[in-house]
Amino acid sequence: YERTCRYFARKSNSVVVSVGYRLAPEYPYPAQFEDCLAATTHFLRTAEDYGVDPTRVVICGDSSGGTLTAAVAQAMVNRKDLPKLRAQILIYPFLQGVDFNLPSYQQNKGVPVLLKERTLILGLKYLNKDLSVMNEIFKGVHVPEDLQLKYQKWLSPDNIPEEFKTRGYKPRKIYPSSEELYAKAKPIFDPVFSPLLAEDTVIPQLPEAFILTCEFDVLRDDGLLYKKRLEDHGVKVTWCHLEDGFHGTV
C-alpha cells in the first residue's frame, strides 16, 4: 500500500498516515480495530505536530480496511475529548456477516478476487472460528429469529435499488435458526465486525462519508445498504459506483 498512499498524498496535497495494524490469525480480532482506534486517537491528539488541522482529519480504508474505518468512525462519535472526524472514506467495504445471499453475493459469487466462499473463510479466520460452520452461515442459520426481525429494516434486499437485481437474483430461502450456531458465531454481530449493525443512536452522529462500490463485487450491496442507512439518518454521502469495477480494483 505504500505506493497507493504516496499517490494519495501527492494528488490530494495532504498528509497520509498508514496504520501498520497487527494481522490475523496471529493477532486475532479485535486487535486490528484496537490498533486503528489507538492510531486515530493518537493522531487527532498530535495532528498539529504534523502540520495538520485536527478538524480536517479523514479516515479511509478499502475492503477489510473499510470495515475498520467504519468501526473506528462509530467508536469516535461519543468522544468528547477529541476533535470530530471530518469524514470517512469506505472503498468496497465489508460491513455485515448476517446475510451472504444479498443480490451481489449471488451474482458475483465466482468473480475473482473475492469469491463468496473466500469472503467467509477470511472472516472466520479473522475471528479464529472453525470453518466447519460455513454452509450453515451461508443459509443464515446463525441468525436468531428476533435478530432477523431487528436487522430486516437495515439489511432487506428491498433497500437495494431494482437495477442491481437484474442479473439473476432470487430471494433466499429462510431456514430455522440454531441457538448453538448463534453462540459460536456471536462476534459476527458485533458492530466492530459488522458496522452495518450499529444501533440507530450511533448512525446519525457519524461523519460525512464517501462510499465506493463495484458492480462485480460480492460486497457491493454492503456499501449500498450502508449508503441508504446513512442517508436515511441525515448523514451526507458521496457515492461512486464503478460499473466495470471488481473487488481490489484500486
Side-chain angles (χ1 to χ4, degrees):
Y1 277 84
E2 185 184 351
R3 285 182 67 186
T4 305
C5 291
R6 286 179 179 274
Y7 176 83
F8 284 155
R10 190 170 68 248
K11 286 290 184 181
S12 62
N13 190 29
S14 57
V15 173
V16 172
V17 179
S18 179
V19 183
Y21 58 82
R22 292 168 294 170
L23 299 177
E26 292 81 4
Y27 297 96
Y29 166 91
Q32 299 69 25
F33 164 73
E34 290 166 351
D35 288 354
C36 290
L37 183 61
T40 305
T41 303
H42 175 73
F43 188 75
L44 284 168
R45 285 197 178 119
T46 60
E48 290 176 349
D49 296 348
Y50 301 91
V52 171
D53 178 348
T55 67
R56 297 182 65 192
V57 174
V58 178
I59 57 175
C60 171
D62 76 313
S63 193
S64 57
T67 318
L68 292 166
T69 299
V72 168
Q74 291 178 3
M76 301 296 287
V77 297
N78 292 318
R79 293 292 294 264
K80 308 295 184 208
D81 57 324
L82 295 167
K84 293 281 186 194
L85 290 168
R86 174 64 185 84
Q88 54 181 322
I89 296 174
L90 311 177
I91 300 172
Y92 37 74
F94 172 93
L95 296 172
Q96 59 84 29
V98 170
D99 190 345
F100 290 93
N101 288 286
L102 292 169
S104 60
Y105 270 106
Q106 291 188 25
Q107 295 160 345
N108 303 310
K109 63 185 178 184
V111 177
V113 293
L114 193 63
L115 312 178
K116 175 178 173 176
E117 195 170 84
R118 182 177 292 168
T119 307
L120 187 51
I121 288 172
L122 291 173
L124 290 171
K125 284 188 174 181
Y126 177 39
L127 296 173
N128 269 6
K129 297 295 179 183
D130 195 302
L131 300 184
S132 63
V133 299
M134 279 181 58
N135 285 337
E136 299 304 293
I137 289 178
F138 280 143
K139 291 178 182 176
V141 174
H142 63 306
V143 189
E145 287 179 19
D146 59 327
L147 290 183
Q148 285 180 19
L149 288 171
K150 177 180 179 178
Y151 298 148
Q152 186 65 16
K153 60 181 177 178
W154 306 333
L155 279 173
S156 170
D158 295 343
N159 293 338
I160 296 165
E162 287 303 313
E163 62 263 31
F164 293 103
K165 301 175 189 173
T166 55
R167 287 194 289 123
Y169 164 66
K170 293 178 182 174
R172 75 179 180 93
K173 182 180 176 184
I174 305 298
Y175 293 90
S177 59
S178 160
E179 284 294 328
E180 183 187 352
L181 191 58
Y182 169 65
K184 286 181 182 176
K186 215 164 184 182
I188 285 175
F189 302 93
D190 185 340
V192 169
F193 183 85
S194 295
L196 193 49
L197 306 184
E199 294 297 332
D200 282 336
T201 52
V202 173
I203 300 293
Q205 302 181 70
L206 289 169
E208 181 179 346
F210 174 94
I211 298 177
L212 184 138
T213 54
C214 293
E215 179 61 31
F216 300 101
D217 179 8
V218 290
L219 301 184
R220 180 196 70 203
D221 294 347
D222 282 24
L224 295 178
L225 291 168
Y226 203 50
K227 169 184 179 289
K228 183 179 189 307
R229 205 163 165 221
L230 292 172
E231 289 175 335
D232 286 351
H233 284 276
V235 179
K236 184 181 175 187
V237 178
T238 302
W239 174 49
C240 174
H241 182 65
L242 303 182
E243 292 186 359
D244 295 328
F246 52 90
H247 196 84
T249 203
V250 162

